[in-house]
């Protein structure tokens, strides 16, 4: 294991030197154009560049005394069908992926626009995507000084968050899937018992944010979401106006509240029927109960208006959850739509 860590550190240093050797290269121009020049100079981030060459890293690491088995075992190179060993990452901006001890155990490479945007290291003896994040080592100091961790999709989004100020620490999960291991890694270095999710504003980002609620709520007491205009992500928002990103983070709302709106929207086509209204309410009631106590009453009123249900009905469903198995006698009795017990009618799937 120690040899694999050594080769990863050597690769990180190589990628960094390659970036510094190309001050006019596309990688530097790309980051500078997005307002992230300060991140380039920040040694904590150790941003690098993988040259557009088949064997640049392989040749370098061999000269450093590493065996081919170590390069393959670390996921830095792979053999071709002809038996040649070639670099996994080529012509990409490179970010080290940290484990819980802040060791660089893998990489995430960002390509130009005409290729698959992000490429991760393959799973190895020391690297698993679900057990690493990008930026935790770079943001450790800010976290320990009280900055709120902001979980984003891509490493460049994390750089943008880092530029906003001392109150926010950008950390990338390298995608929208968030694991308990990742949450625990961040919490270990974050005295603030709070996390903000700042995924992209597209459907994948919104769905990923909702799915992260259960995982993050196991680790953090306060889980919020920062929202962006359609089509934007933290990096594009920062490029457009840094103040806009700061505002989005400052005005983050409970992720459970966002999840409620997301779930209700799924029932939109049947909300003109009482069955749709009631079943939408039952779907979101557990989420309402997870809101801060001072926001539950407000959410009950919002749901009453959105679902066209009496406030008392919504309150009873949210505040006094009971088993939904109706008795045979009750289920056979004809229901009056004005009867407050009307929610016991059969469900209708959206």
């Amino acid at each position: 294991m120690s040899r694999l860590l050594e080769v990863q550190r050597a690769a990180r240093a190589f990628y960094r030197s390659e970036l510094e050797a190309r001050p006019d290269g596309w990688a530097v121009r790309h980051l500078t154009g997005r307002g992230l020049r300060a991140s380039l100079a920040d040694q904590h981030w150790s941003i690098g560049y993988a040259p557009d060459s088949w064997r640049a890293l392989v040749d370098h690491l061999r000269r450093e005394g590493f065996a081919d088995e170590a390069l393959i075992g670390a996921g830095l190179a792979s053999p071709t069908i002809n038996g040649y060993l070639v670099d996994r990452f080529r012509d990409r901006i490179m970010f080290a992926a940290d484990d819980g001890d802040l060791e660089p155990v893998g990489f995430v490479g960002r390509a130009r626009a005409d290729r698959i945007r992000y490429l991760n290291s393959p799973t190895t003896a020391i690297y698993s995507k679900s057990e690493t994040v990008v930026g935790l080592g770079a943001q450790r100091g800010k976290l320990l000084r009280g900055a709120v961790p902001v979980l984003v999709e891509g490493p460049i989004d994390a750089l943008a968050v880092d530029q906003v100020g001392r109150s926010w620490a950008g950390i990338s999960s390298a995608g929208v899937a968030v694991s308990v291991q990742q949450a625990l890694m961040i919490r270990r270095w974050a005295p603030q018992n709070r996390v903000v999710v700042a995924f992209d504003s597209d459907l994948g980002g919104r769905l990923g944010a909702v799915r992260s609620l259960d995982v993050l709520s196991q680790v953090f007491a306060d889980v919020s979401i920062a929202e962006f205009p359609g089509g934007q992500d933290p990096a594009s928002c920062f490029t457009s106006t840094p103040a806009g990103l700061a505002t989005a983070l400052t005005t983050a709302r409970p992720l459970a509240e966002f999840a409620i709106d997301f779930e209700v929207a799924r029932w939109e086509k049947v909300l003109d029927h009482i069955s749709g209204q009631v079943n939408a309410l039952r779907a979101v009631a557990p989420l309402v109960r997870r809101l801060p106590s001072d926001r539950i009453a407000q959410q009950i009123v919002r749901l009453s208006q959105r679902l066209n249900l009496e406030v008392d009905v919504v309150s009873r469903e949210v505040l006094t959850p009971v088993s939904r198995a109706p008795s045979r006698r009750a289920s056979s009795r004809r229901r009056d739509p004005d009867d407050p017990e009307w929610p016991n009618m059969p469900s209708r799937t959206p």
Side-chain angles (χ1 to χ4, degrees):
M1 296 296 184
S2 61
R3 194 60 172 166
L4 294 183
L5 287 175
E6 289 175 10
V7 73
Q8 292 285 6
R9 297 188 194 109
R12 181 178 61 179
F14 171 78
Y15 291 141
R16 180 66 183 178
S17 66
E18 291 296 310
L19 180 74
E20 293 173 343
R22 295 170 173 78
D24 299 321
W26 79 264
V28 173
R29 294 199 310 272
H30 178 81
L31 293 174
T32 300
R34 307 197 74 166
L36 302 173
R37 177 175 289 276
S39 298
L40 288 168
D42 189 339
Q43 295 294 327
H44 291 98
W45 281 100
S46 192
I47 303 168
Y49 173 70
D52 189 11
S53 167
W54 287 101
R55 296 169 48 124
L57 179 64
V58 167
D59 290 343
H60 172 78
L61 293 177
R62 281 172 171 169
R63 289 193 296 268
E64 292 291 307
F66 292 100
D68 289 358
E69 291 77 10
L71 276 62
I72 296 171
L76 296 169
S78 56
T80 67
I81 58 175
N82 295 322
Y84 296 103
L85 201 60
V86 297
D87 296 350
R88 175 176 177 82
F89 299 99
R90 299 183 297 275
D91 194 27
R92 290 177 179 270
I93 303 172
M94 299 299 292
F95 300 89
D98 302 325
D99 66 6
D101 295 322
L102 308 184
E103 289 284 1
V105 294
F107 290 94
V108 177
R110 207 277 191 192
R112 304 191 198 209
D114 59 346
R115 298 167 60 192
I116 296 175
R117 180 168 295 183
Y118 285 107
L119 177 67
N120 300 320
S121 291
T123 300
T124 69
I126 62 172
Y127 172 82
S128 172
K129 182 180 176 182
S130 65
E131 298 176 1
T132 61
V133 293
V134 175
L136 185 57
Q139 300 286 265
R140 175 182 57 176
K142 289 177 71 173
L143 290 170
L144 292 175
R145 291 190 293 271
V148 175
V150 178
L151 191 61
V152 299
E153 292 184 39
I156 292 181
D157 295 321
L159 296 180
V161 171
D162 185 32
Q163 297 300 304
V164 173
R166 293 177 295 178
S167 298
W168 312 102
I171 300 168
S172 167
S173 56
V176 296
V178 181
S179 69
V180 173
Q181 293 95 326
Q182 290 172 320
L184 289 170
M185 286 169 56
I186 298 170
R187 182 70 178 94
R188 174 182 174 185
W189 300 98
Q192 286 225 34
N193 199 6
R194 180 190 177 200
V195 65
V196 174
V197 178
F199 287 170
D200 299 0
S201 60
D202 58 14
L203 178 59
R206 297 197 302 272
L207 183 58
V210 170
R211 289 175 173 171
S212 74
L213 177 60
D214 286 338
V215 169
L216 294 175
S217 296
Q218 295 178 47
V219 180
F220 293 92
D222 184 341
V223 183
S224 303
I225 183 170
E227 299 172 80
F228 307 99
Q232 285 197 333
D233 53 39
S236 62
C237 183
F238 178 79
T239 301
S240 174
T241 166
L245 177 55
T247 298
L249 296 174
T250 303
T251 59
R253 61 171 172 150
L255 180 52
E257 188 174 286
F258 177 87
I260 290 167
D261 292 342
F262 189 88
E263 179 64 26
V264 169
R266 294 180 59 246
W267 296 81
E268 194 67 45
K269 293 182 180 180
V270 295
L271 290 184
D272 57 340
H273 300 286
I274 187 65
S275 59
Q277 296 162 1
V278 168
N279 283 288
L281 172 60
R282 289 178 177 171
V284 301
L287 295 171
V288 179
R289 291 193 286 271
R290 295 169 65 164
L291 289 171
S293 57
D294 60 342
R295 300 184 76 117
I296 290 179
Q298 176 188 4
Q299 191 61 228
I300 287 174
V301 173
R302 288 182 68 237
L303 285 172
S304 171
Q305 297 169 346
R306 178 78 183 275
L307 302 177
N308 195 28
L309 294 170
E310 294 294 329
V311 171
D312 288 348
V313 173
V314 178
S315 297
R316 184 164 58 249
E317 184 71 30
V318 170
L319 301 177
T320 57
V322 296
S323 172
R324 292 301 165 193
S327 68
R328 184 170 299 176
R329 177 181 177 183
S331 62
S332 65
R333 181 166 61 91
R334 182 179 180 83
R335 298 291 186 184
D336 183 342
D338 294 327
D339 183 341
E341 292 299 314
W342 177 252
N344 284 317
M345 71 180 298
S347 64
R348 175 172 176 169
T349 303

